[in-house]
Amino acid sequence: MGRRELREQIFKLLFRVEFNEPEDMPEQERLFFEDEENVTDEKAEKYILGKYEDIVSKLGIIDELINKEAERWGTGRMGKVDLTLIRLAVYEIKYDEEIPTGVAINEAVELAKKFGQDSSPAFINGVLAKFA
């Protein structure tokens, strides 16, 4: 499984945070990997869960950074897909030394084209440009 596919899986799992209570997330994680669409090998599953858990542990800090940079578009006003993609990219920019900033932004924009609304790629690019 390539990095793009791994990132997409992390996005899908992280997206569930918006619809579930923290205490329900272990069950959501189990259900996520039981879904045929998300079936992967043990190494990839460990990578996905590791990144997901690290992002969730930093969500408060990541959201503060987003709210500071997004000005009139705080996390409370963003669409859930856009917010999840921005959170993932900000995590990669700030905490994942293996991923260059430009790659994190480009991948978020590409995922926005697949999962977001028509305006999502431009919006996400605009917010993330402030982190570059």
Side-chain angles (χ1 to χ4, degrees):
M1 182 174 276
R3 285 216 177 214
R4 180 167 282 181
E5 292 87 3
L6 289 168
R7 185 177 285 107
E8 184 174 319
Q9 296 302 312
I10 295 165
F11 158 73
K12 288 181 189 178
L13 185 54
L14 187 59
F15 186 68
R16 292 180 181 219
V17 168
E18 289 300 306
F19 301 98
N20 295 281
E21 296 298 321
E23 61 271 10
D24 296 331
M25 286 310 297
E27 176 73 7
Q28 288 299 313
E29 293 166 17
R30 186 184 62 73
L31 293 171
F32 178 81
F33 289 107
E34 285 179 0
D35 187 340
E36 285 182 30
E37 183 178 307
N38 303 322
V39 171
T40 185
D41 61 45
E42 189 175 321
K43 182 179 175 186
E45 183 175 328
K46 190 173 181 176
Y47 178 85
I48 292 164
L49 271 174
K51 291 291 181 181
Y52 158 78
E53 289 171 354
D54 200 28
I55 294 167
V56 169
S57 75
K58 294 173 174 57
L59 269 186
I61 297 166
I62 291 169
D63 284 355
E64 282 179 32
L65 292 168
I66 294 168
N67 286 326
K68 181 180 172 188
E69 295 298 333
E71 297 169 10
R72 297 182 314 266
W73 281 95
T75 55
R77 290 190 63 200
M78 292 180 187
K80 294 185 185 323
V81 169
D82 295 353
L83 175 59
T84 303
L85 289 170
I86 291 169
R87 283 173 167 168
L88 176 56
V90 169
Y91 167 81
E92 290 179 339
I93 292 166
K94 295 291 185 182
Y95 300 103
D96 195 332
E97 295 175 6
E98 295 178 11
I99 301 173
T101 297
V103 171
I105 293 170
N106 183 60
E107 291 295 323
V109 169
E110 290 302 313
L111 286 171
K113 290 176 184 175
K114 183 172 182 177
F115 294 102
Q117 299 176 0
D118 290 342
S119 61
S120 293
F123 175 71
I124 288 171
N125 190 53
V127 171
L128 294 177
K130 296 179 181 197
F131 289 92

